[in-house]
Amino acid sequence: VLLRADKADTVKFSYAHVLSPLTNSVVAAEISHTISKKDNGFTVGGSYMLDRLTTVKGRINYNGKLAASLQHEWVPKSFVTLSGEVDALALDKKANLGLSIALKP
């Protein structure tokens, strides 16, 4: 898949592969190139369904940013998500943590 963003300054290629339809296990990768800066980047990640209500996801990018999330559907169409991100190349910096609650009628 070829996508163009940033006024056609960035070109991205992404691919996702389903490992197991039963557990909804997916691995994915994205490669990007910024034309004006002659800068390349990549991100790899994946997701795994622990049970029919809980999903865990993770990713790491070329800058060493490591992120993970855990999402649980506690009532139909309503989710609670815990997430975190750390710079694996600068562990002395603070990590980012998040909590999200999405309620749908």
Side-chain angles (χ1 to χ4, degrees), residues 13-102:
F13 176 79
S14 60
Y15 177 76
H17 182 75
V18 177
L19 296 175
S20 171
L22 296 175
T23 60
N24 202 16
S25 301
V26 178
V27 293
E30 179 182 86
I31 299 170
S32 64
H33 176 72
T34 305
I35 298 166
S36 64
K37 296 179 183 178
K38 297 182 181 178
D39 185 32
N40 297 317
F42 69 91
T43 302
V44 294
S47 70
Y48 180 77
M49 187 176 270
L50 296 174
D51 58 36
R52 64 180 192 84
L53 300 174
T54 309
T55 303
V56 63
K57 297 179 181 182
R59 66 175 162 81
I60 189 164
N61 72 7
Y62 70 105
N63 288 330
K65 301 279 184 171
L66 178 65
S69 69
L70 177 70
Q71 184 177 66
H72 181 71
E73 184 176 8
W74 56 290
V75 294
K77 298 183 182 180
S78 295
F79 300 92
V80 61
T81 305
L82 299 170
S83 62
E85 182 180 73
V86 65
D87 188 344
L89 301 178
L91 294 175
D92 57 328
K93 293 183 180 179
K94 293 182 181 179
N96 296 321
L97 299 174
L99 172 66
S100 169
I101 298 174

